[in-house]
């Protein structure tokens, strides 16, 4: 018997989120932006001013990470990985299925539709007139097969790109950008003293 | 060619099953190497401050990696508890169930049963992966900040061999200590003295 907890745990929304590196990393960053400042604020060993300062700094850091990640890393690395895999990595591997998809968007739409039941797919394709977006072989795959081919190599290439982007963005780029942004922001919020000019 | 094949294998593996721990562990590992390195390369900070900050950043990530792995693994292990009542019958239509009850052994029934078994396997894998993600989120939200709060301060004190600081009630400052009188230096020494800015015990930020 499938209970409510199992049904929530296997919902397609959660599954897609888990299987997508970018969505899961973004979710974790949001949780860090809540959890870490929260833990600083409940720490009784530090003074209220320090708590406020550290919590605000941590929140701003995680928010900067999220903005950088969503604005730069996700589109650049995902698209870049798709292009690189299509033109170089899997160029001589027709089984990978890259030649069946024009771009990343088309594959993402295909993948989303392939998760649905055949009746739903047929309905969505006909109602939204999406059939033109796919090549004939892909259209057949979606309209006639119970379990359409997933093209896991394409999915894996995109995820690898996201993974590399996440590492570079969150471990290298975000700390540098946040360093330039956080202190002025804290000064603006009145949590940090303005820089004193050196005496000459 | 070797590296290309390696990349192809990685892509295939990630496409089949992208475990939620992969990304967080990769990020934590690179952060654990790069952040202390950047800190040590900073020429504007004092050597003591650099050493302290780099060590704390490294320790945070060293704690984070096993916690992510353990939370993901343990949460995934709860999957059989949740899916124990789910059977292949849940993936069969009423018609097929009736056929089976009546003892019908047609190709259609066999195919439906095989399909249901496949779906059950996929379903269990889905639950395991999603639970792993919940575990990783719990690690990011609660377990890692809590563990860092508990462990970093004592470990840092031990590694840097600094005397334990005891909070004293604030007293109004009457006179600053003369520069030549250094008899009070040990008393007023505190871990935070390494910091140029106010900090909490747990290093969580990137700057």
């Amino acid at each position: 018997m499938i209970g409510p907890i199992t049904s929530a745990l296997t919902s397609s929304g959660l599954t897609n989120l888990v299987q997508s590196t970018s969505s899961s990393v973004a979710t974790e960053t949001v949780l860090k932006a809540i959890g870490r400042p929260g833990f600083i604020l409940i720490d009784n060993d530090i003074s209220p001013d320090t708590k406020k300062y550290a919590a605000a700094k941590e929140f701003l850091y995680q928010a900067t990470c999220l903005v950088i990640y969503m604005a730069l890393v996700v589109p650049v690395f995902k698209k870049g990985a798709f292009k690189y895999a299509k033109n170089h990595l899997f160029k001589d591997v027709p089984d990978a299925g890259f030649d069946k998809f024009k771009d990343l968007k088309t594959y993402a739409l295909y993948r989303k539709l392939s998760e649905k039941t055949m009746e739903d797919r047929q309905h969505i394709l006909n109602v939204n007139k999406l059939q033109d977006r796919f090549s004939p072989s892909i259209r057949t795959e979606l309209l006639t097969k119970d379990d359409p081919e997933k093209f896991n190599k394409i999915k894996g290439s995109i995820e690898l790109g996201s993974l590399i982007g996440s590492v570079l963005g969150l471990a290298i780029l975000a700390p540098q950008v946040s360093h330039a942004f956080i202190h002025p922001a804290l000064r603006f919020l009145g949590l940090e003293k303005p820089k004193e000019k050196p005496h000459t | 060619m070797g590296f290309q094949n390696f990349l192809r294998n990685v892509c295939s593996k990630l496409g089949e099953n992208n475990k939620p721990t992969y990304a967080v562990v990769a990020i934590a590992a690179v952060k654990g190497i790069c952040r202390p390195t950047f800190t040590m390369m900073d020429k504007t900070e004092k050597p003591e401050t650099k050493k302290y900050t780099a060590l704390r950043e490294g320790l945070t990530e060293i704690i984070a990696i096993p916690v992510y792995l353990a939370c993901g693994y343990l949460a995934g292990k709860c999957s059989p508890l949740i899916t124990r009542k789910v059977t292949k019958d849940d993936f069969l239509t009423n018609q097929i169930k009736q056929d089976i009850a009546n003892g019908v052994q047609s190709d259609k029934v066999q195919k439906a049963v095989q399909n249901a078994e496949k779906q059950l396997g996929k379903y269990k894998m889905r639950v395991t992966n999603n639970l792993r993600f919940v575990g990783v989120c719990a690690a990011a939200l609660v377990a890692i900040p809590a563990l860092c709060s508990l462990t970093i301060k004592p470990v840092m004190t031990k590694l840097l061999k600094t005397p334990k600081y005891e909070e004293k009630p604030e007293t109004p400052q009457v006179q600053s200590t003369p520069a030549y009188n250094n008899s009070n230096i040990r008393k007023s020494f505190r871990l935070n003295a390494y910091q140029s800015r106010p900090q909490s015990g747990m290093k969580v930020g990137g700057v």
Side-chain angles (χ1 to χ4, degrees):
Chain A
M1 197 187 79
I2 300 173
I5 297 172
T6 21
S7 93
L9 273 172
T10 50
S11 67
S12 58
L14 183 63
T15 308
N16 287 336
L17 188 136
V18 172
Q19 287 298 311
S20 161
T21 306
S22 50
S23 312
S24 56
V25 170
T27 309
E28 280 146 19
T29 310
V30 170
L31 292 176
K32 279 181 194 171
I34 301 164
R36 290 182 169 192
F39 265 86
I40 294 169
L41 288 173
I42 58 169
D43 190 348
N44 288 328
D45 290 343
I46 42 178
S47 69
D49 280 348
T50 312
K51 271 201 276 194
K52 227 197 252 174
Y53 176 86
K57 197 169 97 165
E58 182 56 30
F59 177 76
L60 284 173
Y61 173 69
Q62 296 298 344
T64 316
C65 282
L66 190 65
V67 170
I68 293 169
Y69 190 68
M70 298 312 285
L72 189 74
V73 176
V74 173
V76 172
F77 281 87
K78 266 187 165 180
K79 279 184 187 168
F82 182 86
K83 269 188 189 167
Y84 175 76
K86 186 176 184 177
N87 300 327
H88 300 282
L89 195 62
F90 289 105
K91 196 182 176 185
D92 47 357
V93 186
D95 288 352
F98 277 96
D99 52 336
K100 294 185 171 79
F101 300 97
K102 196 170 59 184
D103 52 20
L104 176 67
K105 254 186 181 175
T106 321
Y107 176 71
L109 180 64
Y110 169 79
R111 183 93 188 181
K112 209 172 163 185
L113 289 170
S114 71
E115 302 280 332
K116 300 186 185 299
T117 60
M118 195 157 69
E119 290 79 36
D120 284 349
R121 266 180 265 144
Q122 286 169 343
H123 178 74
I124 292 167
L125 283 170
N126 290 327
V127 169
N128 297 326
K129 292 175 182 168
L130 292 170
Q131 295 198 34
D132 299 339
R133 294 197 43 189
F134 299 110
S135 62
S137 61
I138 290 299
R139 228 176 299 158
T140 319
E141 194 83 23
L142 284 172
L143 292 169
T144 59
K145 289 196 178 166
D146 276 330
D147 190 13
E149 169 72 52
K150 291 278 189 285
F151 299 105
N152 283 332
K153 287 187 174 79
I154 304 180
K155 169 81 177 156
S157 307
I158 297 164
E159 294 312 327
L160 184 62
S162 290
L163 200 66
I164 295 168
S166 307
V167 169
L168 291 176
L170 294 182
I172 297 167
L173 188 66
Q176 310 297 322
V177 174
S178 64
H179 192 77
F181 162 76
I182 284 181
H183 293 295
L186 285 170
R187 280 195 284 274
F188 179 75
L189 292 170
L191 293 167
E192 194 175 290
K193 282 178 188 169
K195 262 186 186 173
E196 281 175 27
K197 282 180 185 172
H199 295 287
T200 48
Chain B
M1 244 8 227
F3 183 65
Q4 203 168 22
N5 281 339
F6 168 74
L7 277 182
R8 283 177 186 170
N9 287 338
V10 171
C11 289
S12 302
K13 199 126 199 175
L14 280 176
E16 278 161 26
N17 186 13
N18 183 15
K19 285 187 187 171
T21 42
Y22 292 157
V24 285
V25 169
I27 293 166
V30 178
K31 262 187 186 176
I33 299 163
C34 292
R35 280 178 61 188
T37 312
F38 288 146
T39 306
M40 290 308 282
M41 280 159 55
D42 189 354
K43 285 176 184 166
T44 57
E45 288 289 349
K46 291 177 194 161
E48 289 89 356
T49 313
K50 283 201 288 189
K51 197 175 154 193
Y52 175 83
T53 313
L55 200 58
R56 203 169 57 171
E57 286 168 346
L59 274 175
T60 306
E61 303 307 332
I62 286 171
I63 291 169
I65 294 171
V67 174
Y68 276 135
L69 289 171
C71 286
Y73 177 79
L74 289 175
K77 281 280 163 195
C78 297
S79 168
L81 295 173
I82 293 168
T83 56
R84 69 184 164 190
K85 284 182 185 168
V86 183
T87 59
K88 66 180 175 189
D89 289 355
D90 292 315
F91 303 97
L92 294 170
T93 57
N94 287 336
Q95 177 66 46
I96 299 290
K97 277 182 201 168
Q98 198 143 22
D99 284 350
I100 292 169
N102 295 335
V104 178
Q105 289 285 330
S106 66
D107 276 356
K108 192 184 165 192
V109 172
Q110 278 183 342
K111 211 177 162 187
V113 170
Q114 276 176 357
N115 196 30
E117 277 169 0
K118 221 170 146 184
Q119 272 185 297
L120 179 65
K122 272 187 187 175
Y123 189 87
K124 285 184 175 173
M125 181 59 114
R126 234 184 213 198
V127 174
T128 309
N129 268 335
N130 293 358
L131 278 173
R132 277 186 190 138
F133 177 70
V134 173
V136 166
C137 286
L141 187 66
V142 185
I144 294 169
L147 218 61
C148 285
S149 287
L150 287 173
T151 55
I152 283 194
K153 238 186 239 176
V155 172
M156 292 295 294
T157 313
K158 221 173 185 179
L159 284 176
L160 294 171
K161 293 186 178 66
T162 48
K164 206 177 176 183
Y165 170 70
E166 280 168 29
E167 197 78 45
K168 284 179 188 169
E170 272 185 35
T171 47
Q173 261 193 333
V174 181
Q175 203 181 347
S176 62
T177 316
Y180 55 83
N181 182 4
N182 59 0
S183 61
N184 282 339
I185 284 179
R186 298 301 293 174
K187 274 183 199 168
S188 61
F189 182 87
R190 53 186 293 183
L191 211 55
N192 287 3
Y194 283 131
Q195 299 295 300
S196 56
R197 301 177 290 276
Q199 295 272 333
S200 73
M202 176 179 64
K203 172 66 185 176
V204 278
V207 285

